[in-house]
Amino acid sequence: QVQLVESGGGLVEAGGSLRLSCAASGQSFSRSTMAWFRQAPGKEREFVAAIFRSNGGPYYKESVKGRFTISKDNAKNTVSLQMNSLKPDDTGVYYCAADSRLILSSISDARQYDYWGQGTQVTVSS
């Protein structure tokens, strides 16, 4: 069993930065794929970034490449998402997700993740 708790969301102007953190509990963290997804109002949840299992990748949604950085600390059981040059389109609820069994080809598929945090709101004003 894995429990995930996100923090770090907030309101920021376009061009600004935020750092999201996800604290995980559970024995399988080091070998779990950790990911960030987001969901804007009226839209489906979409993949943002992930690290595959212990240290594979990272992998990013095309529109965040060069602006977002995901990092995983296996010693501290945390995964973070540094978001720079934020745009209004980045607005949404950001979710941390984890799974220890999914395969690489499914890394961006939200249905393959067994564990989810409660989400943290990110709002980027224009």
Side-chain angles (χ1 to χ4, degrees):
Q1 188 76 7
V2 176
Q3 292 184 329
L4 305 173
V5 179
E6 303 101 332
S7 62
L11 172 64
V12 65
E13 292 184 349
S17 297
L18 283 174
R19 184 177 180 87
L20 306 183
S21 293
C22 174
S25 63
Q27 296 180 350
S28 62
F29 179 83
S30 62
R31 62 178 185 269
S32 293
T33 294
M34 300 299 299
W36 289 95
F37 287 77
R38 68 188 181 190
Q39 189 166 18
K43 295 187 178 181
E44 292 187 354
R45 193 168 298 190
E46 64 176 7
F47 172 79
V48 175
I51 291 178
F52 182 65
R53 296 190 180 171
S54 61
N55 199 25
Y59 302 90
Y60 296 99
K61 176 181 174 63
E62 190 65 32
S63 64
V64 308
K65 286 182 179 178
R67 301 188 298 122
F68 290 13
T69 302
I70 186 172
S71 58
K72 185 184 182 194
D73 188 331
N74 289 322
K76 296 182 178 180
N77 279 18
T78 59
V79 60
S80 299
L81 185 68
Q82 177 66 41
M83 306 186 293
N84 299 327
S85 302
L86 282 161
K87 304 176 181 180
D89 284 348
D90 295 319
T91 294
V93 178
Y94 281 68
Y95 297 92
C96 178
D99 197 274
S100 61
R101 299 173 297 173
L102 66 79
I103 59 176
L104 183 56
S105 60
S106 299
I107 200 168
S108 62
D109 186 350
R111 298 169 298 177
Q112 303 302 321
Y113 288 81
D114 282 344
Y115 302 104
W116 292 86
Q118 82 286 353
T120 185
Q121 177 70 44
V122 172
T123 303
V124 184
S125 63
S126 58

